[in-house]
Amino acid sequence: MTETPLAASSPRTILLPRRMRAADVVSALGELRRASPDAPLAFDFKDVEDFDASTLAFLDHLTGSKTVALPTNVPEPLARAGRTFARRPGARWPEEEQRPPSGTRTGRFLRGLADRFLGHVKVLGAFLAMFGDEVYHLGRYVKERKGVYPGETWNQMYFMGYRSFPIVCLLMFLVGVTISITSANQLKLFGAGLYIADLVGYAMLRELVPLMTGVILAGKVGAAITAELASMTVLEEVDALRTMGVVPERFLMVPRLIAITFVVPLLVAMADVVGIFGGVVVARAMFNMTPTEFLKEMINTVDWADFGWGLLKTVVFGWAVVVGSGFKGLTVGRSAEEVGRATTESVVLSVTLIIVIDCLFAFVIY
Amino acid sequence: MDIIAARDLTVGYGRTEVLCRVGFSIPEGRITAVVGVSGSGKSTLLKTLAGLLPPIEGGFEFDGRPVDYNSEASLSRLYEKIGVLYQDGALLNGLTLYENVALPVRMQYPQLPEDVVGDMVHAGLAQVEMADSAAKFPAELSGGMRKRGALARALVLNPDLVFCDEPSSGLDPITSRRLDDLLLELKERNRMTLVVVTHELRSIDRVADRVLLLNEGAIRFAGDYADLAGSGDDFVRTFFLRKDHHDDA
């Protein structure tokens, strides 16, 4: 770098070298740091022929700087590269920074709120459209018996049912124990220990087993579905299926929907048994109630309708989990990091759907 | 005769136009290389021609009939006649190589007996010299083997047109050359039409009969590979000048 002596009123100009690299940029930045409003500084680019990204970043920095005169004599190739560099993703455009935000503060807030709301409505619309599509594809598969890989439904049943069975049973047993202990203390106060059977039976069959099974399915099955489908989307496997004449929404989703429909009743039945067994254990320990007494008392209160409603609810939850997680998996972007994000979002979506549907059921059942 | 004829075709994602109002044709029985710098829209164009991404504006004809993205029948007709070799193969990881190659056959013709499907799969794998690896899963195959396996899957139903997205990327020169030879063999022996999206100049030099050069949303050159040398366009000359550097290396 060479310095050009200039008149006192003019800024001090630094002539940049022909071949400019990061070391020259560091040196120029040092000069810039030392500059003050009393001793202004300018950089002359006229000799710069060979440059790299550091030069472009420096040029970009100078363009946005308020303490230095604009760069002068910038050769056309460098200026062209500089313009492209300034348009890089994440770059802040000077004119954007200077443009005052339009509208009042309240107006901007409301506009932002409306944009966000419309965004959510759009996603909801896409989700409902996918739900409708899946019902159509399931109907066509039942009618035509094609479009699904042979044996895939059994694979899914094995994964969703057999592989989920231990965790569902363990957690439902613990939930049965917890609800029994919690209520036992209150019942003891009123000398109504016998009613622990009614309480546990009713709560488990109608509410806790369906809800907890749904949540477990969301965490285990839903997350796995999203992770698998999102990876397939990112790796172009979904595109490959489409160009093979295969409809991915049928090929990938229908086996999972059929599997969940058949697996859930078995899981719920087992979970009911295990959950109630948790209650039996606590009743025996705290009230010295025999299993026969417990079951006799429980049967007085609960009936098959309670079991049926619980079963129906869980099947609907299962469908919500499969469609919700499939939606997240198939609408993922193209980068690997989006797979993780989609998986997290799918669990949140599935649990939200489960709770909303449960609330709607509460209005119907009670 | 042209297997693909595009007019005023604008392609892109959402409102972002990647290629704007372009027109070109893909002749039958030849290898057309779609080339351009990164981000010039090669893969986007391929996705549109393969029926995966609807055009923003305009359209194209496949085998003399317009492709209608709103018609399931029109897209099914397109999918029946094309095969696609994706950049990383896009074999389904949960299936063996045999099952991957059998997939399009089983899905399109579910009534075919399993022994016929087996014969078709073995013939397809033999064509790409992968018959010994039929029982392996994609994760057990090297990059080159995965691509050859994916090519077998793209060819198993004997399509009229095969799209290849960056077939040589990530491959060593020997494997890359073998893949190029395979593409040439398909053209010569099966009279197949191939569209190869690439920026590997050596590969273009070996296989391309025709070239579509894309840059900044437009087609800068469309014509026979042999005519490239006579182009007066600065960008065309600069782009293909790089070939000499590659060859020297």
Side-chain angles (χ1 to χ4, degrees), chain A residues 136 140 145-150 232 235-247 250-251 334, chain B residues 47 50 52 72 79 82 84 86-88 90-93 95 99-100 103-104 106-108 110 153 165:
Chain A
Y136 165 76
R140 276 198 61 176
R145 292 290 167 150
K146 65 176 195 180
V148 168
Y149 198 75
M232 289 181 75
L235 295 171
E236 296 185 309
E237 292 174 25
V238 173
D239 284 349
L241 284 172
R242 218 177 280 284
T243 49
M244 279 188 266
V246 177
V247 183
R250 187 181 311 170
F251 182 84
R334 293 279 165 185
Chain B
K47 278 186 178 171
L52 293 170
E72 206 178 306
Y79 296 147
I82 64 166
V84 185
Y86 289 87
Q87 199 166 344
D88 294 313
L91 293 170
L92 269 63
N93 281 314
L95 305 179
E99 288 168 329
N100 263 289
L103 184 64
R106 284 176 176 158
M107 291 292 111
Q108 303 258 4
R153 185 180 66 182
D165 190 6

Side-chain angles (χ1 to χ4, degrees), chain A residues 43-289:
Chain A
F43 289 95
D44 190 339
F45 283 77
K46 75 174 180 203
D47 288 346
V48 178
E49 285 175 14
D50 187 1
F51 54 87
D52 62 7
S54 64
T55 314
L56 299 178
F58 180 57
L59 190 63
D60 193 42
H61 177 72
L62 291 184
T63 312
S65 171
K66 291 182 176 68
T67 58
V68 71
L70 281 175
T72 54
N73 298 329
V74 180
E76 185 47 32
L78 177 59
R80 206 181 319 125
R83 283 194 292 273
T84 313
F85 184 81
R87 284 198 297 268
R88 72 198 187 279
R92 287 182 306 161
W93 289 49
E95 56 267 42
E96 276 179 14
E97 282 174 35
Q98 287 156 14
R99 194 188 303 147
S102 62
T104 61
R105 207 171 159 169
T106 320
R108 287 200 305 277
F109 172 74
L110 290 175
R111 202 165 53 224
L113 213 62
D115 283 349
R116 218 175 297 170
F117 176 73
L118 286 176
H120 286 305
V121 168
K122 229 173 168 179
V123 173
L124 181 70
F127 172 74
L128 291 175
M130 181 161 173
F131 186 80
D133 272 358
E134 292 312 330
V135 173
Y136 165 76
H137 287 306
L138 185 64
R140 276 198 61 176
Y141 173 70
V142 171
K143 196 176 162 197
E144 297 170 0
R145 292 290 167 150
K146 65 176 195 180
V148 168
Y149 198 75
E152 183 58 15
T153 305
W154 289 110
N155 287 343
Q156 292 300 328
M157 284 172 87
Y158 171 78
F159 168 69
M160 291 176 181
Y162 184 75
R163 301 285 295 273
S164 305
F165 176 74
I167 186 77
V168 169
C169 285
L170 173 70
L171 292 184
M172 290 327 298
F173 174 76
L174 295 176
V175 168
V177 168
T178 311
I179 192 81
S180 310
I181 293 174
T182 313
S183 46
N185 286 327
Q186 296 300 314
L187 292 170
K188 254 186 191 170
L189 290 176
F190 300 102
L194 184 68
Y195 294 113
I196 191 170
D198 307 57
L199 202 146
V200 169
Y202 199 72
M204 293 305 281
L205 293 183
R206 281 220 171 190
E207 206 50 53
L208 289 174
V209 165
L211 198 64
M212 289 303 293
T213 308
V215 171
I216 295 166
L217 287 176
K220 191 178 184 298
V221 174
I225 290 175
T226 306
E228 189 182 349
L229 300 193
S231 302
M232 289 181 75
T233 306
V234 170
L235 295 171
E236 296 185 309
E237 292 174 25
V238 173
D239 284 349
L241 284 172
R242 218 177 280 284
T243 49
M244 279 188 266
V246 177
V247 183
E249 291 79 10
R250 187 181 311 170
F251 182 84
L252 297 169
M253 295 295 287
V254 166
R256 288 169 170 84
L257 285 170
I258 296 174
I260 203 92
T261 311
F262 285 104
V263 152
V264 158
L266 300 173
L267 278 179
V268 168
M270 283 313 298
D272 281 340
V273 170
V274 173
I276 290 166
F277 177 68
V280 170
V281 171
V282 173
R284 178 78 184 166
M286 294 184 81
F287 300 110
N288 204 22
M289 192 189 259

Side-chain angles (χ1 to χ4, degrees), chain B residues 77-203:
Chain B
R77 184 179 158 275
L78 174 72
Y79 296 147
E80 272 169 26
K81 294 188 173 188
I82 64 166
V84 185
L85 169 60
Y86 289 87
Q87 199 166 344
D88 294 313
L91 293 170
L92 269 63
N93 281 314
L95 305 179
T96 62
L97 183 58
Y98 176 95
E99 288 168 329
N100 263 289
V101 180
L103 184 64
V105 187
R106 284 176 176 158
M107 291 292 111
Q108 303 258 4
Y109 305 100
Q111 70 280 16
L112 274 184
E114 194 50 40
D115 53 339
V116 176
V117 176
D119 287 346
M120 289 172 77
V121 172
H122 285 300
L125 287 173
Q127 197 172 9
V128 296
E129 298 168 24
M130 292 281 290
D132 295 342
S133 307
K136 288 185 178 167
F137 283 91
E140 298 170 304
L141 303 172
S142 68
M145 288 167 93
R146 270 203 297 275
K147 283 201 177 169
R148 281 189 288 143
L151 187 58
R153 185 180 66 182
L155 298 174
V156 71
L157 287 172
N158 202 22
D160 295 341
L161 170 65
V162 177
F163 292 102
C164 306
D165 190 6
E166 309 269 6
S168 314
S169 75
L171 299 183
D172 62 86
I174 295 169
T175 315
S176 170
R177 174 136 208 160
R178 278 174 68 191
L179 203 61
D180 287 344
D181 290 344
L182 195 62
L183 299 182
L184 283 170
E185 203 181 308
L186 287 170
K187 182 190 79 165
E188 301 298 337
R189 202 174 56 191
N190 302 6
R191 303 288 308 146
M192 208 169 257
T193 309
L194 292 113
V195 174
V196 182
V197 170
T198 184
H199 52 225
E200 299 277 337
L201 296 171
R202 274 188 194 157
S203 182

Side-chain angles (χ1 to χ4, degrees), chain A residues 9-47:
Chain A
S9 57
S10 311
R12 186 164 60 96
T13 302
I14 292 180
L15 191 64
L16 297 165
R18 192 190 69 79
R19 186 174 186 275
M20 199 159 162
R21 288 293 180 264
D24 304 301
V25 171
V26 171
S27 162
L29 284 170
E31 293 287 345
L32 192 60
R33 209 171 299 122
R34 283 190 289 276
S36 66
D38 305 332
L41 194 61
F43 289 95
D44 190 339
F45 283 77
K46 75 174 180 203
D47 288 346

Side-chain angles (χ1 to χ4, degrees), chain B residues 23-101:
Chain B
F24 59 90
S25 58
I26 307 281
E28 226 171 9
R30 302 180 78 184
I31 299 181
T32 302
V34 181
V35 293
V37 294
S38 299
S40 58
K42 304 185 294 287
S43 296
T44 312
L45 179 64
L46 181 139
K47 278 186 178 171
T48 298
L49 297 180
L52 293 170
L53 184 68
I56 295 174
E57 227 183 311
F60 68 96
E61 286 182 357
F62 178 81
D63 212 8
R65 288 166 68 174
V67 174
D68 180 1
Y69 272 79
N70 296 317
S71 156
E72 206 178 306
S74 176
L75 286 176
S76 295
R77 184 179 158 275
L78 174 72
Y79 296 147
E80 272 169 26
K81 294 188 173 188
I82 64 166
V84 185
L85 169 60
Y86 289 87
Q87 199 166 344
D88 294 313
L91 293 170
L92 269 63
N93 281 314
L95 305 179
T96 62
L97 183 58
Y98 176 95
E99 288 168 329
N100 263 289
V101 180

